[in-house]
Amino acid sequence: MLNILWFSAPHPCFLGPGQPCDCLPPLRAAAEQLRQKDLRISQLQADLRRPPPAPAQPPEPEALPTIYVVTPTYARLVQKAELVRLSQTLSLVPRLHWLLVEDAEGPTPLVSGLLAASGLLFTHLAVLTPKAQRLREGEPGWVRPRGVEQRNRALDWLRSGGGAVGGEKDPPPPGTRGVVYFADDDNTYSRELFEEMRWTRGVSVWPVGLVGGLRFEGPRVQDGRVVGFHTAWEPNRPFPVDMAGFAVALPLLLAKPSARFDAAAPRGHLESSLLSHLVDPKDLEPRAANCTRVLVWHTRTEKPKMKQEEQLQRQGRGSDPAVEV
């Protein structure tokens, strides 16, 4: 029978008398790894037993800068519908002051009643557009800028007060933190837009949808700075932006008392007539994700057709004029 003898290498711990064992470092490293794992498990178990942190609380409204929304308005069949829609959007925005300026010699019952029922902090102003600046019968709306006197009247009130026919009579006290936005009564506004503009330091800008014959107009932004404008009509204007596409810090407006809208400005230059007094285009502050989101739309309500109403009126059976529409 063939005998096979097996020989195995000696364990490193038994290399011979006087020879050191080299297995201790690996054992110590393994033990340290186990200790670290146990420590991590203990930390995770402690985290699971710890109650979750309280959710972050939004700042109190009193700590927010005030948004002063300037809206010119004029009498027409859809005026109340437009103002109701806008007022209900504004009611969702904290720390907001509505400056509603009528194109009239004085306050009208329709607008006064709407403001009183809105629940908003407001100032009611009124100034009549001079006859030379008013649209003539058959003229398209773009021939003459509208709302110039009304916006300038709001600027006068912000700077020095006086002339309010309803609501808050006193202008902002010195040192008030705020931002001024010119919101026409026929546009559509996302609530997000107002939070985008609230912390404006100088002049902030963003795109406006459905304007200028384009899907949107707005600043072009590179590396967080405005480098141009996406527009088709007169792109060489100093500020080719829509009235709904910018907001101005209140302290800046107060520091520049000559900054006003110019009724004699060429077509499309009304915004530039104000902004040229306030800021250099390179210093504009892009908002709305670097001007990649549209949060306001230049919508227009279709003028209602009143042929049936006119026919009934000729018959003496028109709608009751005492019912406010």
Side-chain angles (χ1 to χ4, degrees):
M1 176 179 287
L2 179 63
N3 293 323
I4 301 176
L5 299 178
W6 296 91
F7 297 92
S8 60
H11 190 278
C13 293
F14 301 99
L15 294 178
Q19 297 186 21
C21 174
D22 61 355
C23 66
L24 290 180
L27 290 175
R28 290 195 186 100
E32 178 62 20
Q33 289 179 355
L34 290 174
R35 190 183 73 82
Q36 293 294 336
K37 289 181 180 179
D38 289 341
L39 181 62
R40 181 60 179 154
I41 291 172
S42 299
Q43 291 173 340
L44 292 173
Q45 290 174 336
D47 291 341
L48 290 173
R49 289 191 295 269
R50 188 178 299 117
Q57 296 297 318
E60 293 295 326
E62 293 75 13
L64 296 172
T66 301
I67 300 175
Y68 293 91
V69 176
V70 175
T71 301
T73 188
Y74 64 100
R76 64 214 193 266
L77 197 55
V78 297
Q79 182 184 28
K80 185 175 182 180
E82 303 279 32
L83 292 177
V84 165
R85 179 164 58 108
L86 177 56
S87 69
Q88 292 184 358
T89 296
L90 300 182
S91 69
L92 302 174
V93 183
R95 199 72 171 169
L96 183 142
H97 188 142
W98 195 15
L99 276 62
L100 188 55
V101 194
E102 290 196 70
D103 187 352
E105 293 180 345
T108 61
L110 184 150
V111 174
S112 297
L114 184 143
L115 285 170
S118 70
L120 293 163
L121 176 64
F122 69 88
T123 294
H124 188 182
L125 300 163
V127 58
L128 188 66
T129 299
K131 187 176 181 179
Q133 298 177 21
R134 302 183 76 84
L135 283 174
R136 298 184 178 90
E137 187 69 28
E139 281 187 333
W142 50 262
V143 170
R144 303 173 192 273
R146 288 191 294 196
V148 179
E149 294 296 318
Q150 290 71 40
R151 296 184 187 99
N152 283 337
R153 183 67 193 86
L155 293 178
D156 291 339
W157 182 86
L158 287 167
R159 288 168 172 146
S160 58
V165 296
E168 182 65 39
K169 303 294 176 63
D170 296 326
T176 298
R177 295 184 307 155
V179 61
V180 180
Y181 181 53
F182 301 96
D184 290 349
D185 62 6
D186 56 353
N187 290 341
T188 302
Y189 305 90
S190 167
R191 181 175 60 176
E192 290 181 73
L193 175 67
F194 298 95
E195 299 311 319
E196 290 283 337
M197 73 176 71
R198 190 182 295 278
W199 301 95
T200 298
R201 299 182 302 275
V203 177
S204 55
V205 289
W206 47 80
V208 177
L210 311 178
V211 67
L214 300 174
R215 291 176 58 244
F216 69 91
E217 281 186 343
R220 292 188 292 107
V221 178
Q222 184 176 333
D223 298 327
R225 304 193 68 176
V226 174
V227 296
F229 296 89
H230 174 64
T231 184
W233 189 80
E234 282 204 31
N236 294 324
R237 287 173 288 162
F239 292 88
V241 297
D242 186 76
M243 190 68 68
F246 68 92
V248 183
L250 177 64
L252 176 60
L253 268 177
L254 299 182
K256 303 282 188 177
S258 63
R260 300 172 65 81
F261 292 100
D262 182 4
R267 176 189 172 195
H269 289 249
L270 186 61
E271 295 84 354
S272 297
S273 71
L274 174 77
L275 293 175
S276 296
H277 292 278
L278 299 172
V279 69
D280 189 284
K282 66 180 178 59
D283 295 323
L284 294 170
E285 303 166 26
R287 294 289 194 268
N290 276 331
C291 298
T292 61
R293 298 185 64 206
V294 173
L295 300 174
V296 55
W297 297 262
H298 199 277
T299 49
R300 294 177 184 271
T301 301
E302 182 181 6
K303 184 177 180 179
K305 297 177 175 63
M306 292 286 109
K307 290 183 179 179
Q308 300 303 320
E309 181 68 42
E310 293 167 359
Q311 181 177 345
L312 288 180
Q313 286 178 355
R314 287 193 294 269
Q315 299 171 6
R317 298 188 298 120
S319 301
D320 186 352
V323 176
E324 189 178 86
V325 178

